[in-house]
Amino acid sequence: MNNIKVALAGQPNCGKSTIFNLVSGIEQHIANYPGVTVDKKVGYFKYDNHKIEMVDLPGTYSFSSYSLEERVAKDFILDESPDVIVNVIDASNIKRNLYLTFQLLEIGIPVVVVLNMMDVAKRRDIEIDSKKISQMLNCPVVEASGAKGLGGKDIMKNIVATAKNKNSYQEFKINYDELEHHINSLEEKISKIALIQNKRWLAIKILESDSTIIQRVKKYEPSIEEFAKKEEDIFHERYDKDAVSFLASYRYDSADIIYHKALKEKNKDKQTLTQKVDKIILNRFLAIPILLFFMFMVYQISIVWGYKLTDYTWPILAAFKNIVIDILPQANFTDVPMITDFGIWMVNSANALMNYLPIFFILFALIAIMEDVGYMPRMAFILDRVFKKFGLHGQSTLPLVLGGAMVGGCAVPGVMSTKGIADDRARMATIFSVPYMNCLAKVPFYTLILGAFFKPDMAIMMFFISTITLFIAMIVAKLITSTILKTRETAPFLMELPPYHIPTFKGVIIRASQRVWVYIKKVVTIVLAVAVILFAMLQFPGLSDESKIKFEDKSSKALSFFDTKVKASIYYEEFDTKEEVSALLNYYDEYRTKRMTATSKDAAKRVDERFLLKNKTFYKYIKPKRDKEARKINKELRKLSSKRKAILRQIKNEKVENSILGMTGRAMEPVTQYAGFDWKINVAFLSSFAARESAVATLGSLYENNKADNMRAEEAMALNSGYTPLHATAIIIFMLLTPPCIATMIVVKMQTNSYKWMMFAIFFPIGLGIVLSSLVFTLGNIFSWSGFEAMTYFYVSVVLLTIAIALFPQKNINWNGGIKLKNKKEL
Amino acid sequence: MMKKSLFVLALLANSLFAHTALMSCFNNGDNTITCEGGFSDGSSASGVKFFVLQNDKKILDTRMNEDSEVTFNIPSGSYSAVFDAGDGHQIHVKDDDITE
């Protein structure tokens, strides 16, 4: 059996992915190209005794080194030298697609041209003579329609046939007339170097100043750049033309010749269906409402309904967690082995992210549908003008909406959905802006503070809170795109609106599953790294010796109390040592956790049966039924269990308080005091972002622990307030800008592919939050503003700043100079 | 106290969205029921609203304690225990489903 390596190339929106899915079946691999975030899709399949490996290159308009996608595509051709290149062309738009075809043909690797979307072309009465094209290009041309599932076999047949005849392939040459002489002399110059690629192609690329190729050739021929420059200069002097545009115009001309010889367009001036639909979708007045409607539907379906699905997927994760806990060593009363703590911590971190899977699956499927239909580029078109002023992109809309621009969303799917943004700078800016959106988790927090401090102004305050984040996000986007992201590449905004298509079910499902799979793989690796660091930050240096003695004392007191209570029992000998009591307690607690994850009556019954089987002696204490003696033990056991929980909680709190993270909270006090925060709030904010469950417990002990009363939290707050509404405003402002939660951090790392940017995403909002809340708090104190006044001033300033940025002239002037006068008097 | 409840609730709120809410109830056999709540990532449910419904009326309205538990006397007649973690994240457990 022979292996055939195939590269699939084509312009964006030519239907490359549908062709890929058509021929490759389900068995596909998707990964990022090393060092970049461009997707790499590989499919393996067998045809006619040949094993075919097909790599789906990123969609590119041309084959220069301009964008990330183009570089990735070219590197693949150079490094992997495929046997065949399959070039997918949008049959309803042949002329423009052929430009890339000529570039591919020049590479020197046999090309198979696939005319995709033949059905669309037929519908538009475009007659294509594919035999003629095949004759003219001297390569196979296959008619296909990926969406309709037509042409797959033909493509495979031609790939195999072409690969078989690879050795008799005759070099494809475009005659570049006046430039030929220079191409030849460059070709001669590099004729002896060890690169295996077609030398003529390399020579042409060097003349086009293609940096990737020049770098590679330079290794063998260091003087190549100067040599090429000299040739170009001569050409320029002689004909007054630039080599790059000269080459391009020849390819366009060649495409034009094919178009005229092989195509007949009968209804050139008739409106296509796409144009008709666009009249509505892109209508000046309807475009925004329609866009909002679609955004709302995406939000509703993926986030609201997707969340409901987690009720069904969660038990699977819970089962996984239970398996891990079963393996880990058990606690000896209040001595929990660190390995157990660590194991549970890791599983919790991973599960928290895995819980998003249903949401992601729906979200990615919806994005795939919108891409296939052709709505995504239109969305960008509609909003691009507004967003561009802030360094964002029309395609930033979806991430911002999912992050919570409207109703409260979640940053994790928001950041995940930035993948589709072609403009690298805008993509990065969007990743860093999304976490400012009001996620649903923050909303109850605001309601609580507003209820306590801003009762009369609640509605207007909520309005401030829900709208201000969008303005802040835009300002931040502007700030970072004009500073640290300044040197990032921006893709030229090629506004090509593809015709509308009906998406294929298979394609959508495959794409959604692939993206979800990439997410799972990443979560597993990144969670390991981040969770380990955070665990260490919370664990070390740990308890002092003094505290250790204190807690040991508490434990033994609790145990001996239990002992005296149950001494009289007839079952006493079953638990008269510490080890036995611990085992019983673990059994009891384990039973309760398992019961909690059992959602149905049947499942509960199965848990019961399992525990009865596991330890019949202990079982009677968790389910005493009519046994009076056992019931007494059960009661004491419950008491002991909550005592243990209380001690464990205290230990945990003290650990967190003295941990590296806790010390950071103290260290921050000199700074945060200007915002009215003391170290306890610092720790609370810090640990809330690191580990919610420990934060809740931490605060319980950090503050005076009165017995729980039934007072509503809002009332309690307003009554016992050491806080003024101004404090509350500072807290709200900080919360608005608060750093993303751990899950968001991890997806930021995934999307930016760098820990450096992840750290930036954490510390920049913290810094900004501290600065702004301190500013407002300090000014408020000086001018004795009320909390509401302070918030109003803050809001108005932010809005004014946003408007100022939007109105600031954006047109970059690309030239300067003129006659420079040293002395104005000379005029 | 104020700060405590404020942050306890705020931090709780944080876990509302991303994680599934859970609750199970046991009959303790001494005429009391203990309900224990939690979230799928292991977050504590202390401070989360809890109430007991009978004929659509709240006969008990409280919050989960520090152990994420509530213990209450068994009411006569049918009732359901409700774990209320906010917007649409409520768990109802009917008396029939609470076993000894």
Side-chain angles (χ1 to χ4, degrees):
Chain A
M1 203 186 288
N2 298 317
N3 291 337
I4 303 176
K5 198 184 271 180
V6 179
L8 193 63
Q11 294 196 348
N13 301 315
C14 68
K16 206 153 48 72
S17 295
T18 52
I19 292 292
F20 185 71
N21 292 331
L22 175 71
V23 297
S24 74
I26 306 288
E27 196 202 337
Q28 301 179 3
H29 294 248
I30 182 165
N32 281 350
Y33 283 91
V36 291
T37 49
V38 178
D39 277 346
K40 173 179 178 165
K41 271 197 280 183
V42 188
Y44 297 95
F45 39 96
K46 279 183 199 135
Y47 180 85
D48 193 20
N49 236 359
H50 292 270
K51 218 176 138 197
I52 296 172
E53 176 190 347
M54 184 178 276
V55 179
D56 189 7
L57 298 180
T60 54
Y61 288 103
S62 74
F63 226 65
S64 51
S65 275
Y66 195 69
S67 70
L68 199 59
E69 280 77 12
E70 288 173 356
R71 240 174 295 149
V72 165
K74 188 151 32 189
D75 280 346
F76 178 82
I77 302 272
L78 288 166
D79 294 334
E80 312 269 327
S81 38
D83 302 303
V84 179
I85 295 175
V86 173
N87 174 218
V88 181
I89 286 180
D90 174 359
S92 65
N93 190 4
I94 285 191
K95 201 156 108 184
R96 199 148 4 154
N97 278 256
L98 279 172
Y99 179 72
L100 178 67
T101 309
F102 279 108
Q103 283 188 305
L104 294 172
L105 283 164
E106 284 185 301
I107 292 173
I109 294 170
V111 173
V112 173
V113 171
V114 174
L115 293 176
N116 190 24
M117 304 190 199
M118 281 303 287
D119 51 322
V120 180
K122 279 209 183 94
R123 213 170 47 226
R124 292 194 190 162
D125 281 332
I126 304 172
E127 256 174 45
I128 303 170
D129 187 348
S130 57
K131 282 207 187 94
K132 184 106 192 194
I133 301 176
S134 172
Q135 259 170 28
M136 291 176 82
L137 294 178
N138 202 13
C139 76
V141 175
V142 186
E143 295 184 10
S145 167
K148 297 239 157 108
L150 301 174
K153 272 229 174 83
D154 258 359
I155 297 171
M156 299 308 296
K157 226 179 1 196
N158 278 292
I159 289 174
V160 171
T162 309
K164 269 187 190 156
N165 298 322
K166 197 177 144 194
N167 292 331
S168 55
Y169 179 77
Q170 203 188 353
E171 199 178 306
F172 183 90
K173 272 185 189 173
I174 296 177
N175 186 357
Y176 289 108
D177 292 336
E178 292 95 327
L179 201 59
E180 277 302 318
H181 168 72
H182 304 281
I183 295 172
N184 289 337
S185 66
L186 258 170
E187 205 182 330
E188 204 169 296
K189 175 95 178 159
I190 58 172
S191 61
K192 297 230 162 52
I193 65 171
L195 287 173
I196 51 162
Q197 284 82 17
N198 181 331
K199 300 292 184 304
R200 180 179 162 90
W201 178 58
L202 292 176
I204 291 171
K205 287 273 123 190
I206 293 166
L207 272 176
E208 280 182 330
S209 321
D210 186 306
S211 54
T212 315
I213 304 284
I214 288 175
Q215 285 313 319
R216 281 173 192 253
V217 173
K218 240 185 180 172
K219 275 185 215 146
Y220 307 95
E221 194 57 70
S223 64
I224 193 71
E225 224 171 340
E226 291 92 69
F227 187 82
K229 180 92 186 36
K230 225 183 274 162
E231 293 289 328
E232 248 187 285
D233 285 346
I234 298 167
F235 175 72
H236 195 272
E237 209 164 293
R238 225 179 264 167
Y239 303 101
D240 214 14
K241 275 176 187 157
D242 277 331
V244 180
S245 48
F246 187 82
L247 285 161
S249 67
Y250 263 68
R251 291 186 197 121
Y252 278 121
D253 286 350
S254 310
D256 201 46
I257 292 169
I258 297 217
Y259 172 77
H260 283 289
K261 294 233 155 150
L263 264 84
K264 250 188 228 147
E265 270 189 77
K266 284 185 188 153
N267 290 318
K268 223 173 170 183
D269 302 318
K270 211 177 116 193
Q271 255 190 2
T272 62
L273 187 66
T274 293
Q275 282 163 336
K276 281 180 200 155
V277 175
D278 270 344
K279 277 224 162 120
I280 301 166
I281 298 266
L282 300 180
N283 177 287
R284 204 143 51 105
F285 303 104
L286 290 177
I288 298 276
I290 292 175
L291 180 98
L292 289 179
F293 172 75
F294 281 138
M295 287 300 95
F296 177 75
M297 285 316 285
V298 170
Y299 178 84
Q300 183 70 19
I301 296 171
S302 66
I303 299 207
V304 178
W305 297 351
Y307 179 79
K308 293 216 169 91
L309 272 186
T310 61
D311 287 348
Y312 302 96
T313 52
W314 157 247
I316 304 166
L317 298 176
F320 167 67
K321 182 177 160 183
N322 282 333
I323 292 171
V324 174
I325 292 175
D326 282 345
I327 298 168
L328 294 167
Q330 293 212 314
N332 184 5
F333 199 52
T334 53
D335 290 331
V336 184
M338 191 180 271
I339 178 83
T340 307
D341 256 352
F342 181 68
I344 295 172
W345 168 266
M346 296 303 275
V347 177
N348 277 340
S349 314
N351 272 4
L353 284 158
M354 291 298 180
N355 209 21
Y356 286 102
L357 290 184
I359 294 176
F360 281 155
F361 190 82
I362 300 174
L363 174 67
F364 291 150
L366 290 175
I367 293 178
I369 291 172
M370 290 203 294
E371 282 170 355
D372 283 3
V373 169
Y375 190 66
M376 289 296 254
R378 286 172 172 84
M379 184 168 86
F381 177 78
I382 296 166
L383 282 176
D384 197 58
R385 267 181 50 200
V386 184
F387 277 159
K388 220 156 78 185
K389 292 192 195 301
F390 297 94
L392 294 170
H393 190 280
Q395 283 173 319
S396 309
T397 324
L398 181 71
L400 290 173
V401 167
L402 294 171
M406 294 197 292
V407 230
C410 178
V412 176
V415 174
M416 283 299 283
S417 64
T418 55
K419 200 164 199 138
I421 303 174
D423 180 329
D424 192 40
R425 192 170 73 183
R427 193 175 63 84
M428 295 291 283
T430 312
I431 291 173
F432 298 124
S433 326
V434 168
Y436 292 104
M437 299 294 101
N438 268 319
C439 77
L440 200 64
K442 289 181 187 174
V443 175
F445 171 87
Y446 297 133
T447 330
L448 187 78
I449 300 194
L450 296 186
F453 295 102
F454 300 99
K455 265 253 160 80
D457 309 305
M458 217 163 155
I460 179 102
M461 282 294 284
M462 202 61 214
F463 170 77
F464 284 166
I465 291 171
S466 50
T467 52
I468 199 170
T469 46
L470 193 59
F471 294 118
I472 292 177
M474 302 239 260
I475 296 172
V476 167
K478 177 74 195 171
L479 188 73
I480 57 184
T481 45
S482 48
T483 52
I484 49 167
L485 293 178
K486 204 173 171 182
T487 52
R488 283 266 162 169
E489 282 177 52
T490 62
F493 199 53
L494 284 166
M495 194 42 83
E496 177 157 6
L497 297 178
Y500 289 104
H501 300 292
I502 306 284
T504 64
F505 180 74
K506 189 178 161 195
V508 168
I509 295 297
I510 289 179
R511 217 138 19 115
S513 328
Q514 281 169 338
R515 287 177 183 170
V516 167
W517 179 238
V518 171
Y519 175 77
I520 295 174
K521 277 198 289 192
K522 286 282 173 68
V523 162
V524 171
T525 48
I526 300 167
V527 156
L528 280 178
V530 177
V532 168
I533 295 170
L534 283 170
F535 183 78
M537 279 179 77
L538 284 163
Q539 288 292 315
F540 295 105
L543 293 178
S544 66
D545 289 340
E546 210 176 296
S547 304
K548 268 184 201 152
I549 294 166
K550 184 179 84 193
F551 287 120
E552 262 164 37
D553 200 38
K554 274 191 179 175
S555 307
S556 50
K557 259 191 197 146
L559 280 172
S560 61
F561 182 80
F562 177 77
D563 198 57
T564 48
K565 281 280 177 179
V566 299
K567 219 161 200 163
S569 168
I570 50 165
Y571 297 124
Y572 181 60
E573 60 180 25
E574 281 171 11
F575 40 81
D576 56 357
T577 65
K578 186 188 173 188
E579 283 68 36
E580 278 164 347
V581 176
S582 293
L584 175 58
L585 205 54
N586 288 336
Y587 180 80
Y588 172 78
D589 284 344
E590 198 187 317
Y591 172 76
R592 305 232 345 206
T593 356
K594 293 245 163 97
R595 268 301 295 271
M596 183 136 85
T597 51
T599 41
S600 70
K601 239 179 172 174
D602 278 348
K605 216 173 184 178
R606 278 198 298 276
V607 174
D608 283 359
E609 280 160 13
R610 259 210 343 263
F611 272 77
L612 182 64
L613 215 68
K614 202 171 167 187
N615 194 332
K616 213 175 166 182
T617 335
F618 285 171
Y619 190 75
K620 63 174 174 285
Y621 303 121
I622 57 167
K623 292 235 152 176
K625 301 262 163 106
R626 302 276 164 260
D627 186 339
K628 253 195 167 165
E629 283 290 320
R631 200 177 274 180
K632 238 190 252 165
I633 312 289
N634 175 274
K635 198 175 167 191
E636 291 310 320
L637 205 54
R638 263 191 283 147
K639 277 192 204 153
L640 187 63
S641 169
S642 51
K643 272 186 197 164
R644 166 158 91 161
K645 277 183 198 159
I647 295 172
L648 285 177
R649 195 166 47 233
Q650 284 163 12
I651 293 178
K652 208 173 189 180
N653 294 341
E654 223 174 287
K655 252 191 203 162
V656 171
E657 198 180 324
N658 294 323
S659 69
I660 300 172
L661 206 67
M663 288 190 279
T664 316
R666 278 174 214 268
M668 276 161 65
E669 211 176 21
V671 181
T672 58
Q673 58 171 326
Y674 297 105
F677 303 163
D678 58 11
W679 71 270
K680 292 173 185 180
I681 306 179
N682 296 345
V683 173
F685 271 127
L686 280 175
S687 54
S688 86
F689 129 89
R692 269 152 211 156
E693 69 271 36
S694 57
V696 174
T698 316
L699 284 153
S701 75
L702 282 181
Y703 293 98
E704 280 307 306
N705 197 357
N706 304 329
K707 252 284 156 262
D709 48 42
N710 283 333
M711 204 184 284
R712 287 170 63 88
E714 292 92 321
E715 294 163 16
M717 197 188 310
L719 264 181
N720 311 341
S721 185
Y723 267 175
T724 62
L726 189 60
H727 279 91
T729 300
I731 292 176
I732 290 177
I733 291 173
F734 189 78
M735 193 66 177
L736 285 170
L737 300 166
T738 205
C741 67
I742 199 177
T744 310
M745 269 164 45
I746 287 167
V747 289
V748 167
K749 155 75 180 76
M750 279 170 62
Q751 291 302 330
T752 57
N753 220 347
S754 123
Y755 281 105
K756 216 172 74 193
W757 284 118
M758 183 184 88
M759 295 316 260
F760 174 77
I762 298 168
F763 290 106
F764 181 71
I766 296 183
L768 194 68
I770 289 289
V771 168
L772 289 183
S773 49
S774 304
L775 190 72
V776 172
F777 186 74
T778 313
L779 287 176
N781 268 333
I782 295 172
F783 299 105
S784 42
W785 290 337
S786 73
F788 179 66
E789 279 175 318
M791 189 68 193
T792 313
Y793 296 144
F794 179 65
Y795 186 80
V796 171
S797 325
V798 169
V799 172
L800 286 178
L801 184 60
T802 314
I803 294 172
I805 292 173
L807 295 179
F808 197 74
Q810 272 294 299
K811 262 265 175 290
N812 286 327
I813 294 174
N814 280 328
W815 63 90
N816 57 21
I819 301 168
K820 200 176 176 186
L821 299 174
K822 280 187 191 117
N823 195 341
K824 275 204 171 163
K825 280 176 200 156
E826 278 177 28
L827 253 181
Chain B
M1 179 60 207
M2 184 283 299
K3 290 178 195 166
K4 177 192 150 192
S5 28
L6 182 122
F7 279 106
V8 166
L9 282 168
L11 301 171
L12 260 177
N14 264 328
S15 46
L16 290 189
F17 179 66
H19 321 299
T20 306
L22 307 162
M23 181 172 76
S24 63
C25 295
F26 308 88
N27 188 329
N28 295 316
D30 54 357
N31 211 28
T32 60
I33 304 279
T34 297
C35 290
E36 191 180 355
F39 292 97
S40 57
D41 69 336
S43 297
S44 157
S46 77
V48 170
K49 281 189 207 153
F50 175 87
F51 49 86
V52 178
L53 277 183
Q54 196 166 37
N55 303 324
D56 292 333
K57 252 172 55 192
K58 284 185 190 174
I59 55 167
L60 176 74
D61 190 354
T62 179
R63 290 176 191 272
M64 291 262 164
N65 72 9
E66 286 172 309
D67 290 332
S68 312
E69 281 180 4
V70 171
T71 301
F72 59 95
N73 292 323
I74 300 177
S76 54
S78 75
Y79 62 92
S80 58
V82 182
F83 179 76
D84 181 9
D87 262 3
H89 306 316
Q90 284 190 344
I91 296 179
H92 289 253
V93 177
K94 288 210 181 91
D95 58 339
D96 296 349
D97 296 325
I98 302 174
T99 52
E100 197 170 318

